Amino acid sequence: MLGFAPLPGDTRLLIAHQRRDRWEPMVWDVASGEETDLALELPGDVVAEWYPDGSALLVVHSFEARSELFRYDLAAAELVEVETPAGSVSGATARPDGTVEYLWSSAARPSEVRSTTGTVVLDPPGMKAPGSVPVEDAWVEGPGGRIHALVQKPAGSGPFPTVFELHGGPTWHDSDAFAAGPAAWVDHGFAVVRVNYRGSTGYGREWTDALKHRVGLIELEDVAAVREWAVSSGLADPSRLVLAGASWGGYLTLLGLGTQPEAWALGLAVVPVADYVTAYHDEMEALKAMDRTLLGGTPEEVPERFEASSPLTYVDAVKAPVYISAGVNDPRCPIRQVENYVDRLAARGAVHEVYRYDAGHGSLVVEERIKQVRLELEFAGRHLAT
């Protein structure tokens, strides 16, 4: 449900559906039962909200890591683009005068609240985030189809030490939007590659729904294909490849270090799933339901799938130094399963470092987040001589 029309007595309800294998809006009059299928000819996911007078919808279209705005006139059934700069819109609303205000950024430009009048309408006090470098698109053929990766490079010529930063979710995607973490790595001389592996949104429902049963292994097949491209293209130094990520990205990091031990020189796993079976038993009920959907059952019903998808299964194969940070009160990736993995690393004398902090699934304290990025950079500097 996206909201009723903003007029007294108006019984039109804006809803989202996936009848054509992607998210798109339709209008349903709950009093008459009439459905108005908008059938927007746009290739990606679509969300919408009402204009204040109820005559039109403000449409946000997300596709292949970028987004754009449209005004859909309901009477004329006409779609007209609302001009925005190239990048990502993560929030938008129509004003009573017909103008639109929206939260925008690109990989090179930090977030701004802009208006279609051409002005920046919110200028918060305090320090401003410095800009970064633009993102470049890479399309790589993979085992499940064409993979989209976003690349940022420091000044100079490669090959560069390269961080493969994997997004969480898994039903999420990296986009041409400002991200302070990748910007920090670029500032320190690293290239950054972000892979929208199978399971990511923004590329059609089939791509998102491909993540079934061989969980983790599917995504890492796509990462491996992009890694091969990055090395063969001269972008990445094969001796200084870092696998990194948070949440689901942290899970893929630990799984990748164990299943692809020769490929990675370093791993940085933030709030990861490390022991899938223990994580399942300790995590929130909603996440248990997601895991049952992805793997086709519980650890007792499909033990072989949980074993195949668990980083703990491959911990003894890990060769690269591993940095793990975890919140001791994390309900999503609970600390006990992380400790199980760390104990196994320690038992075999593997090079590792663990940072535990008093929070949950990440921290919202700015100073703490800066500290964590600094610790990751320092760990990489010590072990990669960067």
Side-chain angles (χ1 to χ4, degrees):
M1 189 192 77
L2 302 177
F4 278 100
L7 302 172
D10 197 323
T11 55
R12 292 175 300 164
L13 179 64
L14 184 62
I15 62 174
H17 66 91
Q18 284 186 310
R19 291 177 174 178
R20 284 181 287 269
D21 290 337
R22 59 162 188 166
W23 284 111
E24 55 185 314
M26 67 179 293
V27 177
W28 172 39
D29 190 317
V30 298
S32 69
E34 180 185 2
E35 297 179 8
T36 304
D37 190 341
L38 307 182
L40 302 175
E41 296 299 323
L42 298 169
D45 289 336
V46 177
V47 296
E49 69 170 53
W50 295 96
Y51 270 76
D53 64 1
S55 68
L57 301 177
L58 178 62
V59 173
V60 181
H61 174 232
S62 299
F63 184 60
E64 295 183 348
R66 292 175 177 84
S67 52
E68 53 192 352
L69 293 179
F70 295 88
R71 183 183 189 276
Y72 183 82
D73 186 288
L74 290 164
E78 183 181 21
L79 192 68
V80 177
E81 185 172 3
V82 176
E83 279 197 37
T84 59
S88 295
V89 174
S90 54
T93 192
R95 303 285 292 172
D97 63 1
T99 62
V100 175
E101 294 177 359
Y102 55 96
L103 181 62
W104 171 91
S105 73
S106 70
R109 294 279 299 274
S111 297
E112 297 175 333
V113 180
R114 292 174 167 240
S115 168
T116 50
T117 61
T119 60
V120 174
V121 298
L122 180 63
D123 185 21
M127 295 175 62
K128 309 299 182 190
S132 188
V133 297
V135 73
E136 300 176 13
D137 297 286
W139 292 93
V140 178
E141 290 300 325
R146 207 166 62 131
I147 309 159
H148 189 198
L150 304 174
V151 180
Q152 288 175 278
K153 298 184 293 187
S157 57
F160 302 101
T162 301
V163 177
F164 280 72
E165 180 147 315
L166 308 182
H167 69 73
T171 49
W172 191 248
H173 66 272
D174 281 312
S175 58
D176 183 6
F178 189 77
W185 286 105
V186 172
D187 287 347
H188 286 77
F190 288 77
V192 177
V193 178
R194 291 178 284 167
V195 182
N196 282 332
Y197 49 75
R198 276 172 288 172
S200 302
T201 53
Y203 300 85
R205 189 171 176 180
E206 183 178 350
W207 188 259
T208 303
D209 289 350
L211 188 56
K212 291 260 177 75
H213 298 175
R214 294 180 59 251
V215 171
L217 305 173
I218 290 173
E219 304 95 295
L220 288 170
E221 289 175 352
D222 293 346
V223 174
V226 177
R227 184 194 68 235
E228 183 178 344
W229 164 83
V231 171
S232 63
S233 69
L235 168 72
D237 179 349
S239 68
R240 293 189 290 176
L241 295 179
V242 179
L243 190 59
S247 192
W248 196 267
Y251 157 64
L252 293 178
T253 294
L254 296 182
L255 188 63
L257 294 176
T259 58
Q260 304 169 355
E262 306 297 334
W264 307 104
L266 194 80
L268 305 169
V270 178
V271 293
V273 173
D275 170 0
Y276 215 143
V277 174
T278 302
Y280 175 86
H281 290 300
D282 289 358
E283 69 193 6
M284 303 155 52
E285 289 299 325
L287 294 181
K288 289 182 179 180
M290 185 192 81
D291 286 338
R292 290 193 297 271
T293 299
L294 291 177
L295 289 158
T298 68
E300 292 71 33
E301 293 166 338
V302 287
E304 71 287 350
R305 291 178 185 168
F306 275 83
E307 181 181 8
S309 293
S310 179
L312 189 66
T313 302
Y314 313 95
V315 64
D316 292 337
V318 173
K319 296 182 178 181
V322 187
Y323 173 88
I324 298 173
S325 66
V328 297
N329 303 306
D330 191 341
R332 291 178 171 269
C333 300
I335 193 66
R336 182 167 74 107
Q337 51 94 28
V338 173
E339 300 293 6
N340 291 347
Y341 187 91
V342 170
D343 289 346
R344 288 279 294 275
L345 286 176
R348 51 183 285 260
V351 179
H352 69 286
E353 184 174 312
V354 184
Y355 174 64
R356 302 169 182 85
Y357 55 96
D358 187 17
H361 196 61
S363 175
L364 297 178
V365 178
V366 173
E367 292 80 2
E368 174 64 27
R369 295 172 72 179
I370 292 171
K371 176 183 178 180
Q372 291 183 24
V373 172
R374 185 180 73 246
L375 290 173
E376 292 177 20
L377 288 163
E378 290 173 351
F379 187 83
R382 287 197 301 274
H383 293 285
L384 298 181
T386 53

